[in-house]
Each structure stands twice: as C-alpha cells, then as structure tokens.
Amino acid sequence: MRIFVAGATGAIGRPLLAQLHSAGHDVVALTRTPEKARILAEQGVEPAIADVFDADAVKAAVIRAQPEVVIEQLTSLPKTYTPETMQAAAALNDRIRLEGGANVLAAAQAAGVRRYIRQSIAFWAIPGTGLADEETPLALDASPAVADGTRTLKEIEHRLLGNPNLEGIVLRYGFFYGPGTWYATDGDVAEQVRQQQFPIVGKGEGVWSWVHIEDAAFATVAAVDRGNPGIYLIADDRPLEVRVWLPAYAQWLNAAPPPQVSVEDALRISGGDAVYYGTQLRGVSNAKAKRELNFQPRSLEWLVKTAVEEGQLTI
C-alpha cells in the first residue's frame, strides 16, 4: 500500500518508517530539508520536500505521491523536558499541529486519500476514578499547559473525525519510552532522575499510562488497514501511579531514590502542570486497541527488570 507520512523524523517516525517498510508498504515521507531527504532515501523511503506551513507545497507533494493512506505525526517538542522548555516550545507545537496539520489534511482530501491516521495524546482525560476509555472527555479545565493542549487536541481530532470524506483514525498515545525518547537511558528525564531533579509530588497519586515507542509504531501500522474510524487509546496493560513507576525507574537507572516534595512546594517551584502530572493524571484502558488492532504491548521495561532483580518475577 502507498502511504504518505508527515512527521517522519520525530521519535515515533523512525520506528514507524522501519515497520512500514518491513511490512512491504511503499512509503513517501514529508521533510523540510534536503539533508533529511537524503537520510530518508538511505532508509528506502521516498522523500517529499516541503514546508508543512506552505499549503500549496504540501498539497502538491501529497497529490504527486498519490497515497491511499496518510499518517500524520506532526509535533515540535524540545530535547529537554522541563517547564521552561515545554512552555517555550508550546506555541510552535500548537501551530504545527493546527496549521501544519490542516494543510496536510486538506492535501489528503485533494489527493483522494482513503484513510487518514493522526497522532494524539492518551493521558489528558478528565480526572476521575477507574481507567479512562475512548468516550471519556478531555480535561479542558486542567492546569494551564494541559488545558491549552487539550483544546488543541479537541480541535484537531474533531476536524478529522468530522470529515465525511475520510476514514479518520485518531491514535491517542501514552507516554513514550524507549530509544530516542526523554525516558531512554540517555534521555533528558533519565538525567534529571540521576540528578535528583524529578521528584514525587505529594503522595504521587497521578496515574501514568506508558507505551514503548516501537509498540506505538506497531499500532500505527496496524491502523493502516484495520480498525474502524474513530479514537484508539494506545498504551500498555498496566497504568501506574508515580509513586510506583518513578522509584522503579530510578532503580533501573542505578540512581538514588527520587526525592518527594509537597504539593505546595511543587506549585511554587514548578507550577500547576507539575502538580497535575504528579497527582491528577488518569490511566487509560487499551481494550479497544487490543480488540480491533490486535495491539499487544510489552510490559514497562524498568518495572520488569526491577521485579526480576528483586525475585518477584521469573522469565
């Protein structure tokens, strides 16, 4: 199948291209620079050079490619994960999702694309008891950055799913870990944990849902030719409270146990978003993805490793 990928050079783009190629798909990937175009060509991917903010150039690229499916993975996130860097990146990240995504979506329609798959976020469901599912509303009244992000997601998801001319699929991914992510052993969060800069906030009751970057790519490839239009939550089988996953992560990194700070101190030092992530995030159910996309995620690697080392698990 001929597939056009926008956002092919990000963290998920690399394993996604590899898996699409292995599955025998004919892939065209959008990039802005000749340098990245050469890298894509070396990977066996046909490059299409265009600035995602140039609607005419994007339209021409997609029409020229004549794909059956478009996969949109457009983001602009910093290499470091701090309140300051995330705030600095927010405007461009919103713009690339809203304006850049609109250009790719319009181009797909003009090219007669059948199915359109786009990235979204799983862990911004409204707080509550139990696991969120695809019908759970987004947290539009959360802390500042989360509220801004959920409003953006709501708009781009509605734009796709409300389009009668496309089979629209939204993949809401959990927290990425694995190679090329903030949580890789050489990633920014790993270094923060080593430096005692990533604390447990309050009682650490925020529930995080994780997905290995290669499993996220698998689900995306599966959505190319299976699954009904709509939303899918792409996360592993075991959402975990911060007070569980963060100490295990520190142990996996051979780092000291993470410090603990009060909600009041976290508000003062890092702001409301840090408190929200540490105390209010809600885990998600992957039942629909497992049922319809044959999604079979691996267990969180540092939890498995620490359990084995402590004699709680045998492999």
Side-chain angles (χ1 to χ4, degrees), residues 86 93 140 143-144 151 157 169 210 224 248 251 261 273 281:
M86 293 300 289
N93 193 41
L140 299 174
S143 57
R151 286 191 290 268
E157 290 184 1
I169 290 183
W210 297 89
V224 166
Q251 183 179 346
V261 300
D273 295 305
L281 280 190

Side-chain angles (χ1 to χ4, degrees), residues 54-99:
D54 185 337
D56 290 337
V58 173
K59 180 178 177 180
V62 178
I63 290 176
R64 190 181 309 117
Q66 285 296 294
E68 296 174 67
V69 177
V70 166
I71 300 175
E72 183 196 327
Q73 299 282 1
L74 294 173
T75 58
S76 180
L77 296 172
K79 291 184 179 180
T80 57
Y81 181 64
T82 68
E84 295 77 17
T85 57
M86 293 300 289
Q87 184 176 1
L92 179 57
N93 193 41
D94 281 352
R95 185 185 175 211
I96 200 169
R97 284 172 164 167
L98 289 166
E99 183 182 338

Side-chain angles (χ1 to χ4, degrees), residues 6-293:
T9 57
I12 190 173
R14 291 184 288 271
L16 175 60
L17 292 180
Q19 291 190 32
L20 287 169
H21 190 266
S22 296
H25 295 295
D26 184 12
V27 183
V28 181
L30 183 67
T31 184
R32 190 168 54 89
T33 67
E35 291 78 13
K36 288 184 177 180
R38 284 193 291 272
I39 294 172
L40 290 169
E42 291 170 359
Q43 297 172 342
V45 175
E46 180 183 337
I49 300 176
D51 188 325
V52 75
F53 297 123
D54 185 337
D56 290 337
V58 173
K59 180 178 177 180
V62 178
I63 290 176
R64 190 181 309 117
Q66 285 296 294
E68 296 174 67
V69 177
V70 166
I71 300 175
E72 183 196 327
Q73 299 282 1
L74 294 173
T75 58
S76 180
L77 296 172
K79 291 184 179 180
T80 57
Y81 181 64
T82 68
E84 295 77 17
T85 57
M86 293 300 289
Q87 184 176 1
L92 179 57
N93 193 41
D94 281 352
R95 185 185 175 211
I96 200 169
R97 284 172 164 167
L98 289 166
E99 183 182 338
N103 289 340
V104 176
L105 182 62
Q109 287 187 263
V113 166
R114 174 179 60 84
R115 174 163 287 207
Y116 194 104
I117 301 165
R118 71 148 297 113
Q119 173 186 140
S120 190
I121 294 173
F123 44 83
W124 283 347
I126 191 170
T129 58
L131 299 180
D133 62 19
E134 286 78 4
E135 302 302 319
T136 305
L138 295 173
L140 299 174
D141 297 320
S143 57
V146 176
D148 177 71
T150 53
R151 286 191 290 268
T152 298
L153 292 187
K154 184 177 181 180
E155 181 174 343
I156 59 180
E157 290 184 1
H158 178 74
R159 181 190 293 164
L160 173 59
L161 299 178
N163 190 316
N165 301 315
L166 292 165
E167 297 174 1
I169 290 183
V170 171
L171 299 179
R172 291 182 178 171
Y173 301 122
F175 286 95
F176 287 153
Y177 73 95
T181 71
W182 290 319
Y183 298 89
T185 55
D186 60 350
D188 185 64
V189 171
E191 185 58 26
Q192 290 183 48
V193 170
R194 293 186 184 102
Q195 298 296 325
Q196 295 277 282
Q197 296 171 349
F198 201 103
I200 296 172
V201 176
K203 296 180 180 180
E205 294 174 312
V207 181
W208 292 39
S209 290
W210 297 89
V211 64
H212 192 282
I213 196 78
E214 293 178 2
D215 292 341
F218 171 88
T220 308
V221 174
V224 166
D225 56 11
R226 67 172 65 181
N228 295 311
I231 297 169
Y232 291 84
L233 294 170
I234 308 301
D236 69 19
D237 293 333
R238 190 177 174 188
L240 294 168
E241 293 177 320
V242 176
R243 62 189 178 193
V244 175
W245 74 257
L246 185 50
Y249 180 58
Q251 183 179 346
W252 180 65
L253 295 171
N254 295 316
Q260 191 159 358
V261 300
S262 68
V263 168
E264 293 75 19
D265 284 345
L267 277 171
R268 177 175 52 83
I269 297 168
S270 302
D273 295 305
V275 172
Y276 187 88
Y277 274 71
T279 65
Q280 291 185 272
L281 280 190
R282 184 175 182 180
V284 303
S285 167
N286 63 11
K288 181 180 177 182
K290 294 179 79 171
R291 183 175 65 248
E292 298 190 21
L293 301 179

